[in-house]
Amino acid sequence: NAGVTQTPKFRILKIGQSMTLQCTQDMNHNYMYWYRQDPGMGLKLIYYSVGAGITDKGEVPNGYNVSRSTTEDFPLRLELAAPSQTSVYFCASTTGESSPLHFGNGTRLTVT
Amino acid sequence: GQNIDQPTEMTATEGAIVQINCTYQTSGFNGLFWYQQHAGEAPTFLSYNVLDGLEEKGRFSSFLSRSKGYSYLLLKELQMKDSASYLCAVMDSNYQLIWGAGTKLIIKP
């Protein structure tokens, strides 16, 4: 099994550009999450989904959007990229709230 | 506010034992997780505690005291491959995970 797959691994954006970070999982998990990880800080939740067609904001949703049209896919959209969005982004999935998270390998994004 | 505290960095010697502490103040408690994260990689699950006491899993053990808002991760017989960051995360009353900043563990030969 591939687990959680994120693409791309690296990306450089100019200020004001847009992009979509892709995330797909093949474990039939209902719960999916997008986190960002900045140096010296804990993971911050951007958006999450408890099933297809359901999404909700996390702690730091501004500047991002998500959709969950299928159980497998949970893309994260950045509109009008800003330098503050320079970070490492992780997608994760799990079977339930008290179950361990399975993480993708991350996307390292730089906005200049 | 909600807060998770862990030491920023620790150093230990190969073959030794190290204890990484985590203290938390959260709105409610529905479990505490420990994850390992090697540099440039994704976090991977190590342990989950929801009741007080010690959970042992091979060389790694995790302890929880809910009344003290305290947990520790104990790593025995340290190996060079244990050099990584160790992340403590608490699930609050809304089943949201609150993450600590992580403890970078450096193992010296």
Side-chain angles (χ1 to χ4, degrees), chain B residues 51-98:
Chain B
L51 300 176
D52 289 351
L54 188 68
E55 294 275 345
E56 296 186 80
K57 200 185 281 188
R59 294 190 298 117
F60 292 8
S61 303
S62 56
F63 171 83
L64 174 67
S65 169
R66 288 173 296 171
S67 62
K68 295 182 179 176
Y70 168 70
S71 172
Y72 67 73
L73 182 69
L74 192 71
L75 290 73
K76 301 177 187 175
E77 300 168 16
L78 285 169
Q79 302 175 8
M80 297 304 292
K81 68 178 181 179
D82 297 330
S83 291
S85 288
Y86 292 85
L87 314 181
C88 173
V90 174
M91 186 160 284
D92 69 10
S93 57
N94 294 320
Y95 289 90
Q96 297 293 331
L97 273 176
I98 312 301

Side-chain angles (χ1 to χ4, degrees), chain A residues 35 37 42 45 48 97 101 103-104, chain B residues 35 37 42-43 91 96 99-100:
Chain A
Y35 287 97
Q37 187 175 40
L45 182 64
Y48 67 100
E97 288 157 329
L101 291 172
F103 284 87
Chain B
Y35 285 81
Q37 186 177 24
M91 186 160 284
Q96 297 293 331
W99 294 81

Side-chain angles (χ1 to χ4, degrees), chain A:
Chain A
N1 283 345
V4 180
T5 303
Q6 283 184 242
T7 56
K9 285 187 169 52
F10 302 93
R11 184 73 187 266
I12 299 174
L13 281 182
K14 293 190 187 306
I15 294 171
Q17 287 185 321
S18 301
M19 77 165 292
T20 298
L21 281 67
Q22 301 293 344
C23 175
T24 187
Q25 53 92 8
D26 62 0
M27 297 173 284
N28 203 33
H29 287 169
N30 281 325
Y31 293 75
M32 294 188 76
Y33 304 83
W34 274 106
Y35 287 97
R36 58 178 289 171
Q37 187 175 40
D38 300 304
M41 299 183 67
L43 288 161
K44 300 293 184 187
L45 182 64
I46 305 171
Y47 270 95
Y48 67 100
S49 168
V50 300
I54 306 168
T55 62
D56 223 331
K57 294 179 181 179
E59 187 182 356
V60 291
N62 291 346
Y64 307 94
N65 248 311
V66 292
S67 60
R68 185 92 184 273
S69 55
T70 66
T71 299
E72 294 77 21
D73 299 308
F74 191 40
L76 178 72
R77 178 85 179 158
L78 277 72
E79 304 282 2
L80 298 175
S84 61
Q85 293 178 305
T86 293
S87 189
V88 180
Y89 292 84
F90 286 103
C91 178
S93 72
T94 185
T95 53
E97 288 157 329
S98 298
S99 300
L101 291 172
H102 298 257
F103 284 87
N105 287 331
T107 296
R108 188 174 296 273
L109 176 68
T110 303
V111 182
T112 62

